[in-house]
Amino acid sequence: AQSVTQLGSHVSVSEGALVLLRCNYSSSVPPYLFWYVQYPNQGLQLLLKYTSAATLVKGINGFEAEFKKSETSFHLTKPSAHMSDAAEYFCAVQYSSASKIIFGSGTRLSIRP
Amino acid sequence: NAGVTQTPKFRVLKTGQSMTLLCAQDMNHEYMYWYRQDPGMGLRLIHYSVGEGTTAKGEVPDGYNVSRLKKQNFLLGLESAAPSQTSVYFCASTLARSDAQYFGPGTRLTVL
């Protein structure tokens, strides 16, 4: 079955440290890939989207993600964490333009002062 | 533009009661979705619509009904609420199926 897996339900980093949130999908066929962010008591907002134009995708708030077909991964990174990055992050995959989007279970990011 | 709005923001129901959640979007989007979000389970698709007058079942449709009589509105109904339907409900919309989805702020529903 097609799926998306986020490794780590909770990640904690120090302010200024590298942020790495992991996402793996289940098919080798290049899909549409998304990262969304959810701040407390809010809906999801799009961080970035992969559409095969480039393997490194830059998003808002300094985040970027790299598509690696050989590893079926789409990990999210940010060089230097800020307190305002504390939120829940969802990876999502869509295997074709006609299929439904599948969300991962989410990773809660905490930032230590 | 208001984007995607949801009404109400909070609701407490007793088991067996019914209610309707309203989602409205002002972006002229064709596709609209209802999700539920539960701890550790991400978002699960309840029902969706690919245009005015159409609806389709998602991953967890049981106990819910929907209607899309107008392009800008997507209603989610619970005919007989159960405690298992306690959740946060999100509506989303998108212009094309592979576009990023725009989400509403959510409705927190508690069924006692």
Side-chain angles (χ1 to χ4, degrees):
Chain A
Q2 295 171 336
S3 64
V4 57
T5 303
Q6 291 185 241
L7 294 174
S9 59
H10 182 211
V11 170
S12 179
V13 302
S14 298
E15 191 174 17
L18 171 72
V19 175
L20 171 61
L21 304 181
R22 300 178 187 273
C23 174
N24 288 88
Y25 58 95
S26 62
S27 169
S28 62
V29 175
Y32 300 96
L33 290 158
F34 309 83
W35 275 101
Y36 286 85
V37 60
Q38 184 181 31
Y39 298 103
N41 300 314
Q42 294 186 27
L44 279 69
Q45 304 171 35
L46 180 70
L47 266 182
L48 50 83
K49 175 186 177 183
Y50 167 76
T51 57
S52 76
T55 56
L56 185 63
V57 183
K58 293 189 182 300
I60 62 172
N61 301 338
F63 283 92
E64 61 183 33
E66 186 173 8
F67 172 71
K68 291 188 176 180
K69 184 180 176 181
S70 61
E71 298 177 7
T72 60
S73 69
F74 191 57
H75 301 331
L76 182 71
T77 60
K78 182 174 181 177
S80 177
H82 192 272
M83 296 300 291
S84 61
D85 294 327
E88 187 146 21
Y89 293 79
F90 292 91
C91 180
V93 61
Q94 191 172 2
Y95 286 95
S96 74
S97 60
S99 66
K100 293 184 285 290
I101 191 169
I102 303 169
F103 286 88
S105 57
T107 297
R108 183 164 61 90
L109 176 64
S110 300
I111 312 296
R112 302 187 300 271
Chain B
N1 287 351
V4 180
T5 58
Q6 292 183 231
T7 308
K9 289 185 168 51
F10 302 94
R11 186 71 186 268
V12 178
L13 291 178
K14 294 181 179 178
T15 297
Q17 288 185 318
S18 63
M19 76 163 295
T20 300
L21 283 67
L22 171 63
C23 175
Q25 52 94 4
D26 61 2
M27 298 173 284
N28 202 34
H29 284 174
E30 290 292 337
Y31 298 84
M32 296 187 74
Y33 308 84
W34 275 108
Y35 294 93
R36 60 178 290 172
Q37 183 179 32
D38 302 291
M41 303 188 74
L43 273 74
R44 293 183 291 170
L45 182 64
I46 305 171
H47 285 281
Y48 65 101
S49 168
V50 301
E52 180 178 319
T54 74
T55 62
K57 293 181 179 180
E59 181 185 354
V60 288
D62 293 343
Y64 305 94
N65 56 75
V66 288
S67 63
R68 183 106 181 262
L69 298 179
K70 293 183 178 181
K71 186 176 184 179
Q72 63 268 33
N73 296 337
F74 195 29
L75 279 64
L76 178 71
L78 286 74
E79 289 187 350
S80 180
S84 60
Q85 294 178 304
T86 293
S87 187
V88 181
Y89 292 86
F90 288 99
C91 176
S93 71
T94 186
L95 185 61
R97 201 155 187 173
S98 60
D99 283 350
Q101 296 186 7
Y102 290 79
F103 284 81
T107 295
R108 188 173 296 273
L109 175 66
T110 300
V111 182
L112 302 176

Coordinates of all heavy atoms in Angstrom, one line a residue, chain A residues 100-101 103, chain B residues 6 19 21 23 30-37 43-51 53-68 73-79 85 88-94 97 101-103:
Chain A
K100 N -5.4 10.7 -4.2 CA -5.6 11.5 -3.1 C -4.2 11.7 -2.4 O -3.3 10.9 -2.5 CB -6.6 10.9 -2.1 CG -8.0 10.9 -2.7 CD -9.0 10.3 -1.7 CE -8.9 8.8 -1.6 NZ -9.3 8.1 -2.8
I101 N -4.1 12.8 -1.6 CA -2.9 13.1 -0.9 C -2.9 12.2 0.4 O -4.0 12.0 1.0 CB -2.8 14.6 -0.5 CG1 -1.4 15.0 0.0 CG2 -3.9 15.0 0.4 CD1 -1.2 16.5 0.1
F103 N -1.1 11.9 4.2 CA -0.3 12.6 5.2 C 0.4 11.7 6.1 O -0.2 10.6 6.5 CB -1.2 13.5 6.0 CG -1.7 14.8 5.3 CD1 -2.9 14.8 4.6 CD2 -1.0 16.0 5.4 CE1 -3.3 15.9 3.9 CE2 -1.4 17.1 4.7 CZ -2.6 17.0 4.0
Chain B
Q6 N -14.1 28.1 8.8 CA -14.9 27.0 9.3 C -15.8 27.5 10.4 O -15.3 28.3 11.2 CB -14.0 25.9 9.8 CG -13.2 25.1 8.8 CD -12.4 24.0 9.3 OE1 -11.2 23.9 9.1 NE2 -13.0 23.1 10.1
M19 N -25.2 17.4 14.2 CA -24.7 18.7 13.9 C -24.1 18.8 12.5 O -23.8 17.8 11.9 CB -23.7 19.2 14.9 CG -22.3 18.6 14.7 SD -21.0 19.5 15.6 CE -21.1 21.1 14.8
L21 N -21.1 20.9 10.3 CA -19.9 21.8 10.2 C -19.9 22.4 8.9 O -20.1 21.7 7.8 CB -18.6 21.0 10.5 CG -18.3 20.6 11.9 CD1 -19.2 19.6 12.4 CD2 -16.8 20.1 11.9
C23 N -17.9 24.6 6.0 CA -16.6 25.1 5.4 C -16.9 26.0 4.2 O -17.8 25.6 3.4 CB -15.8 23.9 5.0 SG -14.3 24.4 4.1
E30 N -12.0 24.2 -6.9 CA -12.9 23.1 -7.3 C -12.9 22.0 -6.3 O -14.0 21.4 -6.0 CB -12.4 22.5 -8.6 CG -12.6 23.4 -9.9 CD -14.0 23.6 -10.3 OE1 -14.9 22.7 -9.9 OE2 -14.3 24.6 -10.9
Y31 N -11.8 21.7 -5.7 CA -11.7 20.6 -4.8 C -11.8 21.0 -3.4 O -11.2 22.0 -2.9 CB -10.4 19.8 -5.0 CG -10.2 19.3 -6.4 CD1 -9.7 20.0 -7.4 CD2 -10.5 17.9 -6.6 CE1 -9.6 19.5 -8.7 CE2 -10.3 17.4 -7.9 CZ -9.9 18.2 -8.9 OH -9.7 17.7 -10.2
M32 N -12.6 20.3 -2.6 CA -12.7 20.5 -1.2 C -12.7 19.2 -0.4 O -13.1 18.2 -0.9 CB -14.0 21.3 -0.9 CG -14.0 22.7 -1.5 SD -15.4 23.7 -1.0 CE -14.9 24.2 0.7
Y33 N -12.1 19.3 0.8 CA -11.9 18.1 1.6 C -12.3 18.3 3.1 O -12.1 19.4 3.6 CB -10.4 17.8 1.6 CG -9.8 17.7 0.2 CD1 -9.3 18.9 -0.5 CD2 -9.6 16.5 -0.5 CE1 -8.8 18.8 -1.7 CE2 -9.0 16.4 -1.7 CZ -8.6 17.6 -2.4 OH -8.0 17.5 -3.6
W34 N -12.7 17.2 3.7 CA -12.8 17.2 5.2 C -11.9 16.1 5.7 O -11.9 15.0 5.3 CB -14.3 16.8 5.5 CG -15.2 18.0 5.6 CD1 -16.2 18.3 4.7 CD2 -15.2 19.1 6.5 NE1 -16.8 19.5 5.0 CE2 -16.2 20.0 6.2 CE3 -14.4 19.3 7.7 CZ2 -16.5 21.1 6.9 CZ3 -14.7 20.5 8.4 CH2 -15.7 21.3 8.1
Y35 N -11.1 16.6 6.7 CA -10.2 15.7 7.4 C -10.6 15.7 8.9 O -11.1 16.6 9.4 CB -8.8 16.2 7.3 CG -8.2 16.1 5.9 CD1 -8.2 17.3 5.1 CD2 -7.5 15.0 5.5 CE1 -7.6 17.2 3.8 CE2 -6.9 15.0 4.2 CZ -7.0 16.1 3.4 OH -6.4 16.1 2.2
R36 N -10.1 14.6 9.6 CA -10.1 14.6 11.0 C -8.7 14.4 11.5 O -7.9 13.7 10.8 CB -11.1 13.6 11.7 CG -10.8 12.2 11.3 CD -11.8 11.3 12.0 NE -11.5 11.2 13.5 CZ -12.3 10.6 14.4 NH1 -13.5 10.0 14.0 NH2 -12.0 10.6 15.7
Q37 N -8.3 15.1 12.6 CA -7.0 15.0 13.1 C -7.1 14.4 14.5 O -7.7 15.1 15.4 CB -6.3 16.3 13.1 CG -4.8 16.2 13.6 CD -4.1 17.5 13.5 OE1 -4.7 18.6 13.7 NE2 -2.8 17.5 13.2
L43 N -3.5 13.3 9.6 CA -4.8 13.7 9.1 C -5.4 12.5 8.3 O -4.7 11.9 7.5 CB -4.7 14.9 8.2 CG -4.8 16.3 8.8 CD1 -3.5 16.6 9.6 CD2 -5.0 17.4 7.8
R44 N -6.7 12.3 8.5 CA -7.3 11.2 7.8 C -8.5 11.8 7.0 O -9.3 12.6 7.6 CB -7.8 10.1 8.7 CG -6.7 9.3 9.4 CD -7.2 8.2 10.3 NE -7.9 8.7 11.5 CZ -8.6 8.0 12.3 NH1 -8.7 6.7 12.0 NH2 -9.1 8.5 13.4
L45 N -8.6 11.5 5.8 CA -9.6 12.0 4.9 C -11.0 11.4 5.1 O -11.1 10.2 5.1 CB -9.2 11.8 3.4 CG -10.1 12.4 2.3 CD1 -10.2 13.9 2.5 CD2 -9.6 12.0 1.0
I46 N -12.0 12.2 5.4 CA -13.3 11.7 5.6 C -14.1 11.6 4.3 O -14.6 10.6 3.9 CB -14.1 12.6 6.6 CG1 -13.2 12.8 7.9 CG2 -15.4 12.1 7.0 CD1 -13.8 13.8 8.9
H47 N -14.3 12.8 3.7 CA -15.0 12.9 2.4 C -14.3 14.0 1.6 O -13.7 14.9 2.2 CB -16.5 13.2 2.6 CG -17.3 12.1 3.1 ND1 -17.8 11.1 2.2 CD2 -17.9 11.9 4.3 CE1 -18.6 10.3 3.0 NE2 -18.6 10.7 4.2
Y48 N -14.6 14.0 0.3 CA -14.0 15.1 -0.5 C -15.0 15.3 -1.7 O -15.9 14.6 -1.9 CB -12.6 14.8 -1.0 CG -12.5 13.6 -1.9 CD1 -12.4 13.8 -3.3 CD2 -12.5 12.3 -1.5 CE1 -12.3 12.7 -4.2 CE2 -12.3 11.2 -2.3 CZ -12.3 11.4 -3.7 OH -12.1 10.4 -4.5
S49 N -14.7 16.4 -2.3 CA -15.6 16.8 -3.5 C -14.7 17.4 -4.6 O -13.8 18.1 -4.3 CB -16.6 17.9 -3.0 OG -17.2 18.5 -4.1
V50 N -15.0 17.0 -5.8 CA -14.2 17.4 -6.9 C -14.9 18.5 -7.7 O -14.4 18.9 -8.8 CB -13.8 16.2 -7.9 CG1 -13.0 15.2 -7.1 CG2 -15.0 15.6 -8.5
G51 N -16.0 19.0 -7.2 CA -16.7 20.1 -7.8 C -18.1 20.2 -7.3 O -18.6 19.3 -6.6
G53 N -21.8 19.9 -6.5 CA -22.7 18.8 -6.7 C -22.1 17.4 -6.6 O -22.9 16.4 -6.8
T54 N -20.8 17.3 -6.3 CA -20.2 16.0 -6.3 C -19.6 15.8 -4.9 O -19.2 16.7 -4.2 CB -19.0 15.9 -7.3 OG1 -17.9 16.6 -6.8 CG2 -19.4 16.4 -8.6
T55 N -19.7 14.5 -4.4 CA -19.0 14.1 -3.2 C -18.5 12.7 -3.4 O -19.0 12.0 -4.2 CB -20.0 14.2 -2.0 OG1 -21.0 13.2 -2.2 CG2 -20.6 15.5 -1.8
A56 N -17.5 12.4 -2.6 CA -16.9 11.0 -2.6 C -16.3 10.7 -1.3 O -16.0 11.6 -0.5 CB -15.8 11.0 -3.7
K57 N -16.3 9.4 -1.0 CA -15.8 8.9 0.3 C -14.3 8.9 0.4 O -13.6 8.6 -0.6 CB -16.3 7.5 0.5 CG -17.8 7.4 0.7 CD -18.3 5.9 1.0 CE -19.8 5.9 1.2 NZ -20.2 4.5 1.4
G58 N -13.8 9.2 1.5 CA -12.4 9.1 1.8 C -12.0 7.9 2.6 O -12.6 6.8 2.4
E59 N -11.0 8.0 3.5 CA -10.5 6.9 4.2 C -11.4 6.5 5.4 O -11.5 5.3 5.7 CB -9.1 7.3 4.8 CG -8.4 6.3 5.5 CD -7.1 6.9 6.1 OE1 -6.7 8.0 5.8 OE2 -6.4 6.2 6.9
V60 N -12.1 7.5 6.0 CA -12.9 7.2 7.2 C -14.3 7.8 7.1 O -14.6 8.7 7.9 CB -12.1 7.6 8.5 CG1 -11.0 6.7 8.8 CG2 -11.7 9.1 8.4
P61 N -15.1 7.4 6.2 CA -16.4 8.1 5.9 C -17.5 7.7 6.9 O -18.5 8.4 6.9 CB -16.7 7.7 4.5 CG -16.1 6.3 4.4 CD -14.9 6.3 5.2
D62 N -17.4 6.6 7.6 CA -18.5 6.1 8.3 C -19.0 7.0 9.4 O -18.1 7.5 10.2 CB -18.2 4.7 8.9 CG -18.0 3.6 7.8 OD1 -18.5 3.9 6.7 OD2 -17.4 2.6 8.1
G63 N -20.3 7.3 9.5 CA -20.8 8.1 10.5 C -20.9 9.6 10.1 O -21.4 10.4 10.9
Y64 N -20.5 9.9 8.9 CA -20.5 11.3 8.4 C -21.2 11.3 7.0 O -21.1 10.4 6.2 CB -19.0 11.8 8.2 CG -18.1 11.7 9.4 CD1 -17.3 10.6 9.6 CD2 -18.1 12.7 10.3 CE1 -16.5 10.5 10.7 CE2 -17.3 12.6 11.4 CZ -16.5 11.5 11.6 OH -15.6 11.5 12.7
N65 N -21.8 12.5 6.7 CA -22.3 12.7 5.4 C -21.9 14.1 5.0 O -21.6 15.0 5.9 CB -23.8 12.6 5.4 CG -24.5 13.5 6.4 OD1 -24.6 14.7 6.2 ND2 -25.0 12.9 7.5
V66 N -21.9 14.4 3.7 CA -21.4 15.7 3.2 C -22.3 16.2 2.1 O -23.0 15.4 1.5 CB -20.0 15.6 2.7 CG1 -19.0 15.5 3.8 CG2 -19.8 14.5 1.7
S67 N -22.3 17.5 1.8 CA -23.0 18.0 0.7 C -22.2 19.2 0.1 O -21.6 20.0 0.9 CB -24.4 18.4 1.0 OG -24.4 19.4 2.0
R68 N -22.3 19.4 -1.2 CA -21.6 20.5 -1.9 C -22.6 21.1 -2.8 O -22.5 20.9 -4.0 CB -20.4 20.0 -2.6 CG -19.6 21.1 -3.3 CD -18.3 21.4 -2.6 NE -17.6 22.4 -3.2 CZ -16.5 22.3 -4.0 NH1 -16.2 21.0 -4.3 NH2 -15.9 23.3 -4.5
N73 N -19.0 26.2 -0.7 CA -19.4 25.6 0.6 C -19.3 24.1 0.6 O -19.7 23.4 -0.4 CB -20.8 26.0 1.0 CG -20.9 27.5 1.2 OD1 -19.9 28.2 1.5 ND2 -22.1 28.0 1.2
F74 N -18.8 23.5 1.7 CA -18.7 22.1 1.8 C -19.2 21.8 3.2 O -18.5 22.2 4.2 CB -17.3 21.6 1.5 CG -17.2 20.1 1.3 CD1 -18.2 19.4 0.7 CD2 -16.0 19.5 1.6 CE1 -18.0 18.0 0.5 CE2 -15.8 18.1 1.3 CZ -16.8 17.4 0.8
L75 N -20.3 21.1 3.4 CA -20.9 20.8 4.7 C -20.6 19.4 5.1 O -20.7 18.4 4.3 CB -22.4 21.0 4.7 CG -22.9 22.5 4.8 CD1 -22.5 23.3 3.6 CD2 -24.4 22.5 5.0
L76 N -20.2 19.2 6.4 CA -20.0 17.9 7.0 C -21.0 17.7 8.1 O -21.1 18.5 9.0 CB -18.6 17.8 7.6 CG -18.2 16.5 8.3 CD1 -18.1 15.4 7.3 CD2 -16.9 16.7 9.1
G77 N -21.8 16.6 8.0 CA -22.8 16.3 8.9 C -22.5 15.1 9.7 O -22.0 14.1 9.2
L78 N -22.9 15.2 11.0 CA -22.9 14.0 11.9 C -24.4 13.8 12.3 O -25.0 14.6 12.9 CB -22.1 14.2 13.1 CG -20.6 14.3 13.0 CD1 -20.1 15.5 12.4 CD2 -19.9 14.1 14.4
E79 N -24.9 12.7 11.9 CA -26.4 12.4 12.1 C -26.6 12.0 13.5 O -27.6 12.3 14.2 CB -26.9 11.4 11.1 CG -27.0 11.9 9.7 CD -27.7 10.9 8.8 OE1 -27.9 9.8 9.2 OE2 -28.0 11.3 7.7
Q85 N -16.1 10.1 17.6 CA -16.0 11.2 16.7 C -15.4 12.5 17.3 O -15.4 13.5 16.7 CB -17.4 11.5 16.0 CG -17.8 10.4 15.2 CD -19.2 10.6 14.6 OE1 -20.2 10.8 15.3 NE2 -19.3 10.5 13.2
V88 N -10.5 16.9 16.1 CA -10.4 18.2 15.4 C -10.6 18.0 13.9 O -10.0 17.2 13.3 CB -9.0 18.9 15.7 CG1 -9.0 20.3 15.1 CG2 -8.8 19.0 17.2
Y89 N -11.6 18.8 13.4 CA -11.9 18.6 12.0 C -11.4 19.8 11.2 O -11.6 20.9 11.5 CB -13.4 18.5 11.9 CG -14.0 17.3 12.5 CD1 -14.3 17.2 13.8 CD2 -14.2 16.1 11.7 CE1 -14.8 16.0 14.4 CE2 -14.7 15.0 12.2 CZ -15.0 14.9 13.6 OH -15.4 13.7 14.1
F90 N -10.7 19.4 10.1 CA -10.2 20.5 9.2 C -10.8 20.3 7.8 O -11.0 19.2 7.3 CB -8.7 20.3 9.1 CG -7.9 20.8 10.3 CD1 -7.5 19.8 11.2 CD2 -7.7 22.1 10.5 CE1 -6.8 20.2 12.4 CE2 -7.0 22.5 11.7 CZ -6.6 21.6 12.6
C91 N -11.1 21.5 7.3 CA -11.5 21.6 5.9 C -10.4 22.1 5.1 O -9.6 22.9 5.6 CB -12.7 22.5 5.8 SG -13.3 22.8 4.1
A92 N -10.3 21.7 3.8 CA -9.2 22.2 2.9 C -9.8 22.3 1.5 O -10.8 21.7 1.2 CB -8.0 21.3 3.0
S93 N -9.1 23.2 0.8 CA -9.5 23.3 -0.6 C -8.3 23.5 -1.5 O -7.2 23.9 -1.1 CB -10.5 24.5 -0.8 OG -9.8 25.7 -0.7
T94 N -8.5 23.2 -2.8 CA -7.4 23.3 -3.8 C -8.0 23.5 -5.2 O -9.1 23.0 -5.4 CB -6.4 22.1 -3.7 OG1 -5.3 22.4 -4.6 CG2 -7.1 20.8 -4.2
R97 N -6.0 19.1 -8.4 CA -5.8 18.0 -7.4 C -4.4 17.9 -6.9 O -4.2 17.5 -5.8 CB -6.3 16.7 -8.1 CG -6.6 15.6 -7.1 CD -7.6 14.7 -7.7 NE -8.1 13.7 -6.7 CZ -9.0 12.8 -6.9 NH1 -9.6 12.8 -8.1 NH2 -9.4 12.0 -6.0
Q101 N -2.8 22.2 -0.7 CA -4.1 22.4 -0.1 C -4.1 23.6 0.9 O -3.1 23.8 1.6 CB -4.6 21.2 0.6 CG -4.8 20.0 -0.3 CD -5.5 18.8 0.3 OE1 -5.9 18.8 1.5 NE2 -5.6 17.7 -0.4
Y102 N -5.2 24.4 0.9 CA -5.4 25.5 1.8 C -6.3 25.0 2.9 O -7.4 24.5 2.6 CB -6.0 26.7 1.1 CG -5.0 27.4 0.1 CD1 -4.8 26.8 -1.1 CD2 -4.3 28.5 0.5 CE1 -3.9 27.4 -2.0 CE2 -3.4 29.1 -0.4 CZ -3.2 28.6 -1.6 OH -2.4 29.2 -2.5
F103 N -5.9 25.1 4.1 CA -6.6 24.6 5.3 C -7.4 25.7 6.0 O -6.9 26.8 6.1 CB -5.7 23.9 6.2 CG -5.3 22.5 5.7 CD1 -4.3 22.4 4.8 CD2 -6.0 21.4 6.2 CE1 -3.9 21.1 4.4 CE2 -5.6 20.1 5.7 CZ -4.6 20.0 4.8

